[in-house]
C-alpha cells in the first residue's frame, strides 16, 4: 500500500511540474498587416505567415553592436528547432535600415551565418516610417534613426508570433538566449 501511495505522489508531482512549465505568454498584440521583400526578391506578407508560428526580430546589416550576435543567436535557435524535428515554423528578420539594406546587401550579410534560408526571411522594401510603426504597433518596440551616426536603435528581443498572427512572447535576443524555452514555446503554439 505504501509503495502505490509513493508512486501516486511522484506521479502528481511530475504532472504538476509539467503544468508549471507550460507556455506562458507575456505579450498579446496583433501582427499588423505588411507586404515586404526578402533577400531573394520574393514578396513576404503577414498573410504568407498565417497558420505558421514565427520567430521574429529586428536587425540591420550595418549594425556595429547587437545585430551580429543576435543573428548568430537566431541561427542557434533555428538549429535547436530543427534538431527537435520541428518543420512548421518560420523566422523573419525585419531590417530597420531599409534604405541601405537592399536584397544584395542582405544576401551578403547572411552569407556569414549558417542557417536554413528556406525557413528564414530577411525583409526590406519599405520606408523607415513603416518599420518603425510596425515595431511599435505589433511588438511594442521603438525603432529610432540616430541622426548623428549611421546606426539605429531597435528592439533586441526575439518575438514569438503564433499561428493566428498574435505576437505572444518576447525573449532576450542578445545574451542568455533561452533556446530550450523558445523551442518548447514554439511547440506549444504549434499544437494549439
Amino acid at each position: 500500500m505504501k509503495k502505490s501511495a509513493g508512486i501516486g505522489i511522484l506521479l502528481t508531482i511530475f504532472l504538476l511540474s509539467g503544468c508549471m512549465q507550460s507556455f506562458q505568454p507575456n505579450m498579446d498584440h496583433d501582427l499588423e498587416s505588411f507586404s515586404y521583400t526578402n533577400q531573394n526578391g520574393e514578396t513576404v506578407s503577414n498573410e504568407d505567415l498565417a497558420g505558421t508560428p514565427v520567430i521574429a526580430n529586428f536587425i540591420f546589416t550595418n549594425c556595429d553592436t547587437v545585430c551580429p550576435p543576435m543573428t548568430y543567436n537566431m541561427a542557434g535557435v533555428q538549429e535547436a528547432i530543427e534538431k527537435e524535428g520541428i518543420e512548421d515554423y518560420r523566422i523573419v528578420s525585419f531590417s530597420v535600415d531599409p534604405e541601405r539594406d537592399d536584397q544584395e546587401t542582405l544576401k551578403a550579410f547572411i552569407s556569414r551565418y549558417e542557417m536554413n534560408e528556406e525557413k528564414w526571411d530577411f525583409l526590406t522594401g519599405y520606408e523607415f516610417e513603416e518599420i518603425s510603426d510596425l515595431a511599435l504597433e505589433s511588438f511594442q518596440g521603438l525603432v529610432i534613426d540616430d541622426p548623428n551616426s549611421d546606426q539605429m536603435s531597435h528592439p533586441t528581443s526575439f518575438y514569438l508570433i503564433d499561428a493566428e498572427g498574435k505576437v505572444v512572447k518576447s525573449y532576450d535576443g542578445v545574451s542568455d538566449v533561452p533556446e530550450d524555452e523558445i523551442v518548447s514555446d514554439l511547440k506549444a503554439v504549434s499544437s494549439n
Side-chain angles (χ1 to χ4, degrees):
M1 188 66 112
K2 288 183 179 182
K3 190 174 187 178
S4 65
I7 292 172
I9 290 170
L10 286 175
L11 184 60
T12 301
I13 291 170
F14 176 76
L15 290 173
L16 287 175
S17 68
C19 292
M20 287 186 271
Q21 294 175 1
S22 66
F23 176 67
Q24 297 293 318
N26 61 15
M27 298 181 76
D28 184 20
H29 303 282
D30 289 326
L31 179 61
E32 298 291 316
S33 179
F34 69 85
S35 181
Y36 302 147
T37 304
N38 73 5
Q39 69 272 19
N40 299 314
E42 303 162 338
T43 300
V44 177
S45 71
N46 59 308
E47 292 175 3
D48 295 321
L49 303 175
T52 303
V54 177
I55 312 257
N57 71 342
F58 295 87
I59 57 98
F60 64 108
T61 63
N62 194 43
C63 176
D64 59 15
T65 56
V66 296
C67 301
M70 285 177 63
T71 305
Y72 176 82
N73 292 339
M74 186 69 88
V77 168
Q78 184 180 47
E79 183 179 356
I81 290 168
E82 295 198 343
K83 277 186 181 174
E84 280 294 310
I86 300 170
E87 295 180 13
D88 186 28
Y89 79 94
R90 296 276 292 270
I91 297 175
V92 174
S93 293
F94 296 96
S95 170
V96 297
D97 191 4
E99 187 175 317
R100 287 187 189 90
D101 287 345
D102 59 16
Q103 179 184 342
E104 293 76 25
T105 305
L106 289 172
K107 289 285 266 186
F109 177 76
I110 65 177
S111 70
R112 296 181 250 165
Y113 302 92
E114 288 189 31
M115 65 179 65
N116 178 354
E117 204 179 313
E118 291 179 15
K119 295 284 194 174
W120 193 342
D121 295 294
F122 286 77
L123 299 182
T124 190
Y126 37 82
E127 298 297 320
F128 176 80
E129 291 75 23
E130 289 178 75
I131 196 60
S132 181
D133 289 347
L134 181 77
L136 183 60
E137 297 300 321
S138 298
F139 301 93
Q140 305 302 291
L142 292 176
V143 173
I144 301 167
D145 185 358
D146 181 353
N148 300 316
S149 78
D150 62 355
Q151 297 297 291
M152 308 283 179
S153 294
H154 59 87
T156 58
S157 296
F158 293 166
Y159 299 94
L160 178 61
I161 304 165
D162 69 15
E164 285 76 44
K166 286 245 185 232
V167 181
V168 292
K169 195 160 184 180
S170 67
Y171 313 87
D172 187 330
V174 179
S175 60
D176 299 322
V177 177
E179 285 184 5
D180 292 342
E181 181 182 353
I182 293 171
V183 170
S184 175
D185 290 348
L186 186 65
K187 285 180 181 178
V189 300
S190 294
S191 61
N192 289 344

